[in-house]
Structures are given as structure tokens and as C-alpha cells.
Amino acid sequence: QVQLVESGGGLVQAGDSLRLSCAASGRDFSRYTMAWFRQAPGKEREFVSTINWSDRSTLYADSVKGRFTISRDNAKNTVFLQMNSLKPEDTAVYYCAATDYYDRTRKEDYNYWGQGTQVTVSS
């Protein structure tokens, strides 16, 4: 089993920054591709960013590229999402997820999920 627990969400103003963290249990954390998704009320859960187990490959949604940075610390079993220049349209529940595959952007390809952390950006 892999347990994922997000933290770091909150209420911020447009232009502010937040860093989300996802703490993972399990000895095989370093072998998983990790990702962040987000879901706003009434909308589909959408891809934000992913990072593979070797930490050499990352992908970003066009809407966040240049503003968000995904990283991981395998020694601490933790993945991060640094969010800068936040916009009201970034408001959503943010989820971390894990999969065995590379470079996956579909929620259907991920089989481990955290409980989510709320990010609200006011204008």
C-alpha cells in the first residue's frame, strides 16, 4: 500500500505563492512516477504536473507552465509543488497521485491518491 497525504494549501491573494507537500508511505516511493492534479467544483479532475522516479523528466499543464515547479525528495518520501504567481483560476482542491508509468497526464493512469488540499486564490 501507498498512503499519500497532502499539506500546504490555504487562502492567498493573486500573485502570492504556496508550496504544497505530499508525504508518502512505502519503501518503493522512489520508483513511482508522482503527479499533482486539481479539481474545481463542478469540473473534472485535471492534470497539473508530473515527475518521474529518476527526477529527470517533468511535464506541466500549459496553464501552469512557467509558474509551478514540481520536485521530489526521495530520501524523505515527499513530492512538492511550488506555486508562484497564483491566479484566481488556480483555485481548486489539489491532489497528489502515484503510478508505475512514465509521463502520464490522465487521472485514469494513477492508482494511488491523497485526500487533497484546498487552494483558494482571491483577486
Side-chain angles (χ1 to χ4, degrees):
Q1 65 173 302
V2 177
Q3 293 285 331
L4 306 174
V5 180
E6 303 96 334
S7 62
L11 305 174
V12 299
Q13 295 183 341
D16 285 352
S17 297
L18 282 174
R19 190 182 76 159
L20 305 183
S21 299
C22 177
S25 65
R27 62 182 181 270
D28 294 329
F29 169 79
S30 64
R31 308 299 295 188
Y32 285 110
T33 294
M34 302 295 297
W36 289 94
F37 288 75
R38 66 187 183 186
Q39 187 169 20
K43 297 183 179 180
E44 296 286 337
R45 190 170 299 186
E46 66 176 359
F47 170 76
V48 175
S49 183
T50 186
I51 182 168
N52 70 17
W53 67 271
S54 69
D55 199 24
R56 293 186 175 185
S57 178
T58 60
L59 294 172
Y60 296 91
D62 289 342
S63 59
V64 306
K65 191 172 185 179
R67 299 188 297 121
F68 291 9
T69 302
I70 190 170
S71 61
R72 65 192 295 165
D73 186 339
N74 289 341
K76 297 182 178 180
N77 296 332
T78 304
V79 62
F80 305 96
L81 185 68
Q82 178 66 46
M83 305 185 295
N84 297 328
S85 301
L86 283 163
K87 304 174 181 180
E89 50 263 47
D90 296 319
T91 295
V93 176
Y94 283 70
Y95 298 89
C96 64
T99 184
D100 292 330
Y101 301 108
Y102 287 80
D103 300 330
R104 300 304 175 108
T105 61
R106 302 189 312 154
K107 61 183 184 295
E108 292 82 4
D109 291 326
Y110 289 80
N111 52 358
Y112 297 100
W113 294 88
Q115 82 288 349
T117 186
Q118 177 71 48
V119 173
T120 302
V121 185
S122 63
S123 60

